[in-house]
């Protein structure tokens, strides 16, 4: 199980150091539950200096598919490795909708992350109009196949999937634990087609639909929900620690 905090474009360097320090002091190692935070790029090195040797791993929020080059404003997998990153979020719904990233873009980044021994957290999920039209499974299947077809894994822990029900984030509508489980089970079936049953069964599938301390236990108790990709609740130490504790209870 993995609880990963996506800080998005929040906090300056001082605030990032304070939050990383508070988490280091509050999150204890637990067998079966991995913990990661994904600060903005400018805070990665400082966060690593605080977290190194602790129970918390470091991740980034995005990366480019090339090793180097004239790509102003981008960062490479090698750069992320050099500042201590283990994880990298790829294909987040905000990257897809705001910045126009395609499944082909995500696939190229996945291959590059794996080549540099980074664990990609590959995000998939449908928009409100897809859910209302009953296209949610078709959309998610296309995203999974587009990003992962022909990808080779050495072990299941080489990759993580995060399901984001975009229709349930900031819309006033809520995804129930049963809806989350239904989609996670569907994702597991698609992963079986891509990687085989044994590998698919061992891949962590995170829930990324506004998991909070008051709904975490019910979500994390679902058989195919193996953790959370946490947005807003990861910006407050007490809330994020509560989610980690929920994962320990539910594993």
């Amino acid at each position: 199980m993995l609880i990963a905090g996506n800080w998005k474009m929040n906090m300056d360097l001082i605030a990032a150091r304070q939050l990383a320090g508070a988490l280091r002091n509050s999150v204890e190692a637990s067998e079966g539950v991995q913990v990661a935070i994904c600060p903005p790029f400018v805070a990665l090195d400082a966060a690593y200096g605080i977290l190194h040797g602790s129970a918390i791993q470091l991740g980034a929020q995005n990366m480019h598919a090339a090793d180097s080059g004239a790509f102003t404003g981008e960062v490479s997998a090698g750069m992320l490795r050099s500042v201590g990153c283990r994880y990298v979020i790829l294909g987040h719904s905000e990257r897809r909708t705001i910045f126009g990233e395609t499944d082909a873009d995500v696939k190229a980044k996945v291959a590059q992350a794996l080549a540099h021994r980074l664990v990609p957290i590959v995000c998939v999920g449908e928009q409100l109009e897809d859910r209302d039209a009953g296209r949610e499974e078709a959309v998610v299947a296309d995203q999974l196949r587009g990003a992962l077809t022909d990808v080779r894994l050495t072990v299941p822990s080489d990759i993580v999937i995060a399901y984001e029900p975009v229709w349930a984030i900031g819309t006033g509508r809520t995804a129930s634990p049963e809806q989350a489980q239904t989609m996670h089970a569907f994702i597991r079936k698609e992963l079986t087609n891509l990687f085989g049953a044994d590998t698919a069964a061992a891949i962590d599938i995170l829930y990324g639909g506004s998991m909070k301390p008051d709904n975490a236990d019910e979500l994390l108790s679902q058989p195919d929900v193996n953790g959370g990709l946490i947005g807003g609740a990861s910006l407050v130490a007490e809330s994020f620690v509560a989610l980690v504790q929920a994962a320990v209870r539910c594993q």
Side-chain angles (χ1 to χ4, degrees):
M1 192 172 284
L2 169 65
I3 300 294
N6 178 13
W7 292 6
K8 305 189 180 184
M9 195 176 72
N10 292 293
M11 292 184 294
D12 60 17
L13 189 57
I14 294 173
R17 284 175 171 148
Q18 291 172 339
L19 181 51
L23 294 175
R24 180 187 173 112
N25 292 334
S26 301
V27 174
E28 298 180 358
S30 175
E31 186 176 353
V33 177
Q34 303 295 313
V35 181
I37 59 169
C38 302
F41 292 132
V42 296
L44 287 173
D45 187 52
Y48 180 73
I50 294 168
L51 299 175
H52 182 58
S54 76
I56 304 173
Q57 299 282 341
L58 190 65
Q61 298 176 21
N62 187 34
M63 54 165 254
H64 198 275
D67 283 331
S68 62
F71 303 107
T72 300
E74 293 290 332
V75 301
S76 70
M79 293 173 183
L80 297 182
R81 286 284 299 174
S82 74
V83 293
C85 285
R86 170 173 170 76
Y87 296 97
V88 58
I89 300 171
L90 299 178
H92 190 279
S93 61
E94 292 159 6
R95 298 297 313 176
R96 294 175 186 267
T97 59
I98 299 173
F99 299 101
E101 289 191 5
T102 66
D103 292 336
D105 294 329
V106 178
K107 182 175 183 177
K109 293 180 180 185
V110 168
Q112 181 74 343
L114 292 172
H116 285 265
R117 294 177 290 115
L118 284 167
V119 177
I121 301 175
V122 182
C123 299
V124 297
E126 77 279 11
Q127 300 285 335
L128 178 61
E129 57 267 28
D130 299 318
R131 170 66 61 159
D132 286 343
R135 296 194 301 265
E136 63 271 18
E137 290 188 351
V139 168
V140 170
D142 284 346
Q143 291 173 342
L144 287 167
R145 295 167 191 164
L148 301 178
T149 296
D150 298 325
V151 167
R152 294 175 180 267
L153 303 179
T154 303
V155 293
S157 57
D158 281 348
I159 200 165
V160 174
I161 306 299
Y163 168 58
E164 301 179 279
V166 185
W167 55 274
I169 302 173
T171 64
R173 295 173 60 167
T174 303
S176 69
E178 292 75 22
Q179 287 174 313
Q181 167 56 27
T182 297
M183 182 56 81
H184 279 231
F186 174 77
I187 291 171
R188 188 87 62 197
K189 183 177 73 172
E190 289 298 311
L191 293 175
T192 297
N193 294 334
L194 288 164
F195 301 117
D198 290 344
T199 297
I203 292 175
D204 281 341
I205 306 174
L206 313 184
Y207 180 72
S210 297
M211 184 182 290
K212 299 174 182 177
D214 60 359
N215 65 11
D217 285 83
E218 198 170 6
L219 285 165
L220 293 169
S221 295
Q222 303 300 314
D224 287 297
V225 177
N226 312 123
L229 180 60
I230 314 302
S234 71
L235 301 176
V236 179
E238 293 80 3
S239 296
F240 191 68
V241 171
L243 293 173
V244 174
Q245 293 170 341
V248 173
R249 287 193 299 271
C250 296
Q251 64 177 311

